[in-house]
Amino acid sequence: MSDQQGLTDLPAGDTSFLHSLLESLQSLDWINLGWFAGVVLALVLLFAAGLKVPARLAFASRMASATLVVAAAVMVTILANVALFRHDAHLDLTHDKAFTPSAEAGEVVRRLSEPIDVVYFYQKQNQAARALGAMLRQLERQNANFRVQQIDADQNPALASSQGVRTYNSAVLRLGERRVEVITTDDREIALGVLRLLRTREVVICFASGHGEYDIDNFEFHTHFEGAHNHSHNVSGTGVVQMEQHGLGRLRRAIEKLGLVARKVSFATGQPIPDDCAAIVEANPRTRYSPGETDVLRRYLERGGSAMFLIEPDYTLDESIAALLAGLGIAVRDGVIVDPTEHYFTDEQMIAVSRYGAHPATRGLALSFYPGARPLEILAAPGVQVTPLAASSGDSYIIANRLGNQTKAKSGPRSSQIIVLAAEGRLEGSAAAPFRMIVAGDADFASNSFFPYLANSDAVLAAISWLTREERAPAMRPPVEVLPTVSLTGEQMRGIFLVTVLLIPGLIAFAGSAMWWWRR
Amino acid sequence: MAEMNRLAWAAAALGATAFLAALAFTGGRGGPGLQPFKPKGLMMIPLEEVREVDVTAPRGHWHFVRTPEGWRATQGTATAGFEARLDSALKFLRNSGPDRVLTAAEVAQAGTAQFGLAPPRLRIVVNGRGASVFAISFGVTNPMGLSHYARLDGSPEIALLPAFVAEEWERTGGTP
């Protein structure tokens, strides 16, 4: 990941070339490739030697001499084959590395310390399933604890039925008595299954509800037409962007694929937050907290709980929550950050972040973006360590009113603004266990609309890992379904407009007029 | 002169039409919809040549004979409308090809016991005109439940036929 960050400084053309070159080089198995080259060289050497050295040996019988030479040749051929079999190198020359396991899957398998049996029931005619079979074989060679058996389901119906398999391309993973079934042709899904299998305790992520938050059952998202003026998250864009239709369904599906459990909890009842909530996520509250609800949260943090607060710019915090956050060393300021230097596409309010604060929750993160964020500030709080995780560039400024005159703000002072920060410590001197808290001045970046893009999902999932105290676990990003998109430059869009709206109708009109004139 | 001009135009139009007609009726590429249907089933006997059908199922044994008046059951009890079901079942057997064919080596590798063919779940014997005979045995479904294992008499291979083929025969043979 750090390599990727460094590459972003290069021009786009150079980056893509170097990136693909580096990827190709990294994917090669250099040790086995060395053995392969050594065997080939040895064979070439033997061939050359055979040409130079007379094959006739000093035996009395010509037949005995020839037999000995042939036997030696056969022996060398067998040796070479065995050598190549035992040190085979994997060369994947496809552009998308279709037959090579992903780096994340390889990392998960390499770190396995317990034996896991994988039985993959596939259909022989399915090309994608055969490709996954080849990748499973490669993963098997990386760690003896990863044991793979591939079975043609149609050819072995009794075995498939005995394992409860009712679908093609179904992988049954076993670790002792535990069993996980994954239906896929993607090696990353297999690795996620391994992670689920290794998980010995149930980790519950509780999502706050009752204040109009983003719903984890909601999979709605909206699609943007990017451009200089027609992509807006401000008030003028509300006619197009239905903010209430956002949801956290994609985040929920991702954490469930990681083997975590998602559950909704409500503060409104005044009941304490359950102890089995490894972390609580408050994503975009729309109504104010009551002091009683804040007390529920305070008591949870005092017990050593973890929480993530994602607060949109237009939300007014009530005094009790603001006081609680102040006690954690965090102040949530009003306004919206504008970053003329580091932003995504042409929207200066869509802050792009490529450099992060040093923290376990930001290790190896690539570019992420935050559409419409409010600034945060660090306050002095004894016993609490606060770390900025993401910030805008030093050229940023804050506007109070998105529709108002921004001339004054543009000409005013400019400085880097904190967008996300993490706090860890004890809420009070006598508190039993340290809490963990992450606050972001934006909630959209985790919503269905923006979660799958760039490194946003990495940022959210890494934060959740830190909150659940699993930051040392292997990092694995579940694949998120994204509709295929076509990105056009402004020039391409103008060209399409000229051809379809002006040129073709114009030609038809011209032909009609010409015909009328000719017949007249 | 004008007459000549008109004739020339008419000849040109006729030529153009003939050219288009020639192109329309020639050429090597036919669209998918224009390809003639070819039955892909394992039974080669044409439907109109089928004379007798023998169905053996766990629930009984039926024998049907085609007469000039239509199908007649000579063994087993048949209810009204069985003729249509029998025609439909024969059509499936003739038209629906296997999803997959396990080779003799694959069958030997897996072992035949698990395909449910000994004894078979369903056995069909079709006698055609002359001495042509088609005999097929159906076993259990595959793990997905979408196909039945089926074997032709004397063949070392096992085919996976769509489930609706055997189900139609079961309905035919299952008639009380």
Side-chain angles (χ1 to χ4, degrees):
Chain A
M1 286 293 188
S2 57
D3 293 337
Q4 286 177 5
Q5 282 179 32
L7 287 173
T8 54
D9 297 326
L10 292 170
D14 295 341
T15 305
S16 60
F17 171 73
L18 277 179
H19 195 258
S20 60
L21 186 65
L22 276 175
E23 268 196 347
S24 305
L25 294 175
Q26 283 168 357
S27 66
L28 292 178
D29 185 350
W30 285 104
I31 295 173
N32 283 323
L33 203 60
W35 287 115
F36 174 76
V39 171
V40 172
L41 273 176
L43 288 173
V44 169
L45 191 68
L46 279 169
F47 182 74
L51 294 176
K52 294 284 181 192
V53 180
R56 201 66 203 281
L57 298 177
F59 277 90
S61 162
R62 190 185 178 93
M63 183 63 79
S65 172
T67 306
L68 203 62
V69 168
V70 169
V74 169
M75 181 67 74
V76 167
T77 307
I78 292 171
L79 278 178
N81 275 287
V82 172
L84 286 175
F85 176 76
R86 295 178 75 91
H87 300 279
D88 58 338
H90 170 71
L91 295 171
D92 185 352
L93 301 179
T94 57
H95 181 261
D96 297 325
K97 300 295 169 202
F99 301 100
T100 305
S102 63
E104 301 105 303
E107 181 64 20
V108 168
V109 169
R110 266 192 298 276
R111 292 172 67 160
L112 268 182
S113 56
E114 298 173 86
I116 285 184
D117 291 298
V118 181
V119 186
Y120 187 49
F121 291 93
Y122 70 110
Q123 197 189 26
K124 206 174 266 184
Q125 299 101 311
N126 189 326
Q127 198 175 354
R130 287 208 309 274
L132 177 60
M135 286 191 266
L136 288 175
R137 287 279 174 237
Q138 292 171 55
L139 290 171
E140 187 180 33
R141 285 203 293 271
Q142 294 183 13
N143 190 334
N145 283 322
F146 190 72
R147 302 184 296 219
V148 177
Q149 191 183 358
Q150 296 184 48
I151 291 172
D152 183 346
D154 281 338
Q155 201 180 337
N156 300 275
L159 190 55
S161 297
S162 70
Q163 300 261 355
V165 169
R166 293 280 178 274
T167 314
Y168 290 125
N169 310 330
S170 176
V172 178
L173 286 68
R174 284 185 191 281
L175 171 60
E177 295 299 312
R178 290 205 298 279
R179 174 189 191 274
V180 167
E181 185 174 348
V182 183
I183 299 161
T184 185
T185 54
D186 187 341
D187 61 298
R188 289 180 301 165
E189 295 274 9
I190 300 284
L192 285 166
V194 170
L195 291 182
R196 284 208 299 276
L197 202 61
L198 292 173
R199 191 176 289 284
T200 52
R201 66 184 179 113
E202 187 180 68
V203 177
V204 182
I205 308 297
C206 296
F207 288 83
S209 63
H211 290 281
E213 293 91 343
Y214 286 156
D215 192 351
I216 58 172
D217 295 326
N218 184 321
F219 287 89
E220 295 282 345
F221 59 91
H222 62 254
T223 305
H224 296 277
F225 293 98
E226 296 288 350
H229 303 293
N230 58 5
H231 178 197
S232 173
H233 278 262
N234 57 28
V235 176
S236 66
T238 53
V240 176
V241 181
Q242 298 291 319
M243 300 300 286
E244 64 273 16
Q245 287 186 357
H246 281 252
L248 291 181
R250 282 175 155 166
L251 170 60
R252 175 197 177 163
R253 190 177 288 175
I255 66 172
E256 285 177 345
K257 281 190 174 180
L258 288 169
L260 309 171
V261 177
R263 188 201 299 161
K264 290 184 201 175
V265 294
S266 174
F267 293 172
T269 59
Q271 293 293 314
I273 296 171
D275 283 335
D276 66 344
C277 285
I280 187 152
V281 178
E282 173 60 286
N284 191 23
R286 307 310 303 159
T287 57
R288 285 161 67 90
Y289 271 57
S290 68
E293 290 170 317
T294 305
D295 282 342
V296 169
L297 187 64
R298 178 190 296 278
R299 285 196 291 275
Y300 172 71
L301 293 173
E302 282 173 356
R303 298 200 305 270
S306 299
M308 183 194 289
F309 260 63
L310 311 177
I311 306 170
E312 280 288 302
D314 56 348
Y315 179 68
T316 307
L317 273 75
D318 82 290
E319 297 73 17
S320 62
I321 280 283
L324 173 64
L325 292 177
L328 307 175
I330 301 164
V332 180
R333 300 300 182 204
D334 292 331
V336 178
I337 304 169
V338 179
D339 191 338
T341 310
E342 299 282 329
H343 55 262
Y344 190 52
F345 278 91
T346 57
D347 190 339
E348 295 185 354
Q349 293 176 26
M350 194 177 276
I351 315 298
V353 175
S354 59
R355 294 173 183 81
Y356 301 89
H359 191 270
T362 58
R363 196 174 294 141
L365 277 185
L367 179 72
S368 60
F369 67 102
Y370 302 83
R374 68 196 297 172
L376 307 177
E377 200 175 314
I378 298 174
L379 303 176
V384 178
Q385 184 184 355
V386 185
T387 310
L389 302 184
S392 61
S393 76
D395 204 21
S396 310
Y397 58 93
I398 297 168
I399 55 171
N401 183 355
R402 288 164 161 174
L403 295 180
N405 187 356
Q406 298 178 12
T407 314
K408 189 180 173 187
K410 278 183 183 173
S411 59
R414 300 191 174 206
S415 63
S416 174
Q417 303 293 332
I418 299 172
I419 301 169
V420 187
L421 49 74
E424 184 175 14
R426 292 175 195 277
L427 195 58
E428 291 174 354
S430 59
F435 71 87
R436 284 187 173 183
M437 168 72 98
I438 285 181
V439 177
D442 176 49
D444 290 339
F445 79 103
S447 71
N448 294 334
S449 296
F450 304 106
F451 178 75
Y453 301 105
L454 300 183
N456 279 24
S457 61
D458 291 344
V460 182
L461 295 174
I464 288 177
S465 291
W466 180 71
L467 290 173
T468 56
R469 294 170 165 79
E470 289 190 338
E471 63 268 26
R472 291 183 185 279
M476 188 78 207
R477 176 185 173 180
V480 182
E481 303 83 2
V482 180
L483 291 174
T485 55
V486 176
S487 297
L488 299 175
T489 64
E491 194 176 342
Q492 288 167 332
M493 284 193 284
R494 273 194 302 278
I496 290 172
F497 174 79
L498 287 173
V499 170
T500 57
V501 178
L502 297 180
L503 187 63
I504 293 177
L507 280 175
I508 292 170
F510 175 76
S513 304
M515 184 59 70
W516 170 79
W517 180 261
W518 183 54
R519 287 192 167 180
R520 185 179 65 90
Chain B
M1 188 64 187
E3 187 69 17
M4 283 294 290
N5 208 359
R6 243 192 341 264
L7 276 175
W9 277 113
L14 203 63
T17 307
F19 176 71
L20 286 175
L23 286 183
F25 291 105
T26 58
R29 197 180 69 173
L34 300 177
Q35 288 174 355
F37 174 76
K38 287 180 185 168
K40 297 181 178 66
L42 299 175
M43 187 177 81
M44 298 299 171
I45 303 171
L47 295 178
E48 60 278 7
E49 291 185 9
V50 174
R51 292 286 166 260
E52 290 177 55
V53 176
D54 196 79
V55 182
T56 308
R59 283 194 287 173
H61 180 214
W62 289 262
H63 187 78
F64 302 101
V65 178
R66 199 203 294 263
T67 64
E69 291 78 34
W71 286 106
R72 187 165 60 83
T74 58
Q75 188 173 346
T77 312
T79 56
F82 78 95
E83 298 93 340
R85 282 195 294 274
L86 186 57
D87 282 334
S88 171
L90 281 167
K91 196 184 288 180
F92 287 162
L93 208 55
R94 164 93 175 150
N95 292 347
S96 300
D99 298 326
R100 181 181 174 184
V101 177
L102 299 175
T103 64
E106 287 174 324
V107 172
Q109 188 186 350
T112 52
Q114 55 184 323
F115 300 113
L117 288 161
R121 166 187 177 141
L122 185 68
R123 180 170 166 76
I124 315 294
V125 180
V126 180
N127 293 295
R129 186 178 290 165
S132 58
V133 177
F134 171 81
I136 188 168
S137 300
F138 287 92
V140 296
T141 59
N142 72 338
M144 273 34 80
L146 302 174
S147 312
H148 278 94
Y149 294 99
R151 178 179 241 165
L152 299 185
D153 278 9
S155 170
E157 297 176 336
I158 289 180
L160 275 140
L161 280 175
F164 59 81
V165 177
E167 284 164 6
E168 193 68 9
W169 279 107
E170 279 174 344
R171 273 197 286 274
T172 303
T175 308

